[in-house]
Amino acid sequence: MRRIRTPLPVTLVAALVIGLTSMMPAPQARAITTPEIIASSLSTECLDYEVIGICVWLRCSSFGCTVRTSIRVKHYIPELVVSSYENTGDNPWTEIAMLSPPLGDALGGGSSDVRVAHEHVNTRFKNTDAIGHPGGAFYDFISNFGWSCDSPAVPFKPYFLSTLDALAWRSGIPEMAYPEALIPGRREMGTLGDLWSPIYPRSGFVSQTHDYKTAATTAQRAADIVTRRGQPHVYSPLVPRGGDNSGRWPPDPVMEGDASTHKWQRLEPDKTMSCSIFPDGGENNLLRDPGDYAWTLWRPYRCCKKRGKKLLFFTGG
């Protein structure tokens, strides 16, 4: 028998319904495999490769100094596979599911359709994992030739597992008291007239009737956590280093609705070879039972091959 043991900031009735849902036998989940995920990382549309300028380096030795140049490029790199799924232990990425078994307070999942005045309505919960993308190794390899950038993301490394972050992910503590969670209009995902959900508190619970929007919201929240340091969650930060003299200009932390910080590629269900930010149109026809989803998080980099100790100047945006 599966059950939830967690101090939830929702109604007692909603919590009981979610617990009862988690005890019911779950339908067979769809799954995506590692070879399929690697193949999806070859999307030229998501890569969005462009030569944007040159870098000019000063290289000195005991025989004097010379000036050398290298091309400056920009493109996106697949860094994380972010899965958002219904029942604990049922990550749709087949080879990774074993990393998130039911553990301690991280038991069960499901949703509630309870309607009580002045209380949460249609509360849904998603487990969420962010794992290093296996296709990133290819981009690291070709970066050695000076025509592309690399990423610090380590393939298959678990950067965020919601089962290990059970207190914050299942209670919203302490972020339920943050200004972003209390002030309407701050850190909202969606568009005017079609707001999906607030980003804060960054937990697995979303008051939302649409399952795809719920899953996308929790995926966005996980990416928001992982790409920053010092967050009140159990995770491994993915924060690349860079700077002008390194010849490497990494992206800013993920921000909802901002393509200059990230893009999403849907992997499951109905894998695509294109990328976009949320809202991405998937909400129009992608409702699945069980509600298990996965996306690739692509992030933009600018770089040039280092050919000296000092970067004199560079061109391009």
Side-chain angles (χ1 to χ4, degrees):
M1 180 175 294
R2 305 171 71 182
R3 58 194 178 93
I4 293 178
R5 296 187 294 112
T6 178
L8 304 178
V10 296
T11 66
L12 177 60
V13 175
L16 289 174
V17 172
I18 292 172
L20 290 173
T21 302
S22 70
M23 297 179 199
M24 299 173 62
Q28 181 62 39
R30 293 170 176 82
I32 188 168
T33 64
T34 298
E36 291 177 295
I37 292 174
I38 293 175
S40 71
S41 69
L42 301 179
S43 167
T44 56
E45 180 179 337
C46 293
L47 178 65
D48 195 17
Y49 182 91
E50 183 181 352
V51 177
I52 58 174
I54 62 170
C55 292
V56 180
W57 300 89
L58 180 65
R59 180 176 182 178
C60 295
S61 67
S62 55
F63 299 102
C65 295
T66 58
V67 172
R68 296 193 173 188
T69 62
S70 57
I71 65 166
R72 188 164 184 256
V73 302
K74 68 174 183 178
H75 62 87
Y76 286 78
I77 297 176
E79 291 196 314
L80 297 173
V81 175
V82 184
S83 305
S84 181
Y85 51 98
E86 192 87 348
N87 294 297
T88 307
D90 286 348
N91 188 319
W93 183 0
T94 305
E95 293 85 356
I96 296 299
M98 67 181 69
L99 294 180
S100 299
L103 177 69
D105 289 331
L107 300 174
S111 62
S112 169
D113 292 327
V114 175
R115 296 181 179 273
V116 181
H118 310 298
E119 301 290 352
H120 285 257
V121 177
N122 291 298
T123 299
R124 294 176 179 270
F125 174 81
K126 295 291 183 183
N127 294 280
T128 306
D129 300 335
I131 310 294
H133 198 292
F138 170 74
Y139 292 95
D140 286 345
F141 172 73
I142 63 175
S143 69
N144 295 321
F145 300 98
W147 292 88
S148 66
C149 308
D150 64 342
S151 164
V154 178
F156 299 105
K157 178 179 176 178
Y159 286 89
F160 180 80
L161 300 174
S162 60
T163 54
L164 300 183
D165 188 43
L167 176 61
W169 195 251
R170 289 175 173 254
S171 70
I173 296 173
E175 293 179 351
M176 65 172 65
Y178 282 21
E180 294 90 341
L182 299 175
I183 301 175
R186 293 192 65 177
R187 300 300 307 274
E188 294 271 0
M189 191 169 85
T191 58
L192 186 63
D194 185 25
L195 293 177
W196 287 18
S197 178
I199 297 298
Y200 280 76
R202 293 171 298 182
S203 73
F205 284 92
V206 181
S207 293
Q208 171 62 255
T209 61
H210 198 291
D211 196 58
Y212 184 87
K213 294 180 181 180
T214 299
T217 297
T218 57
Q220 188 77 42
R221 289 173 176 177
D224 196 89
I225 293 168
V226 169
T227 56
R228 290 168 169 81
R229 296 187 187 276
Q231 305 303 296
H233 291 266
V234 178
Y235 73 107
S236 180
L238 177 55
V239 183
R241 299 183 182 276
D244 285 352
N245 206 52
S246 68
R248 191 166 178 268
W249 296 268
D252 292 330
V254 164
M255 182 65 67
E256 63 281 358
D258 187 356
S260 70
T261 63
H262 74 292
K263 291 192 297 187
W264 293 102
Q265 177 189 21
R266 191 172 64 250
L267 298 175
E268 176 62 33
D270 299 337
K271 183 181 69 175
T272 68
M273 294 299 283
S274 61
C275 285
S276 62
I277 54 175
F278 297 132
D280 62 346
E283 70 277 12
N284 295 329
N285 55 11
L286 289 177
L287 286 175
R288 293 292 185 264
D289 183 18
D292 299 340
Y293 306 85
W295 293 268
T296 292
L297 177 70
W298 294 71
R299 301 183 70 206
Y301 285 79
R302 288 173 167 81
C303 68
C304 55
K305 185 174 183 178
K306 190 169 185 177
R307 301 197 65 194
K309 285 288 187 180
K310 176 69 174 178
L311 179 60
L312 298 177
F313 66 91
F314 59 88
T315 64

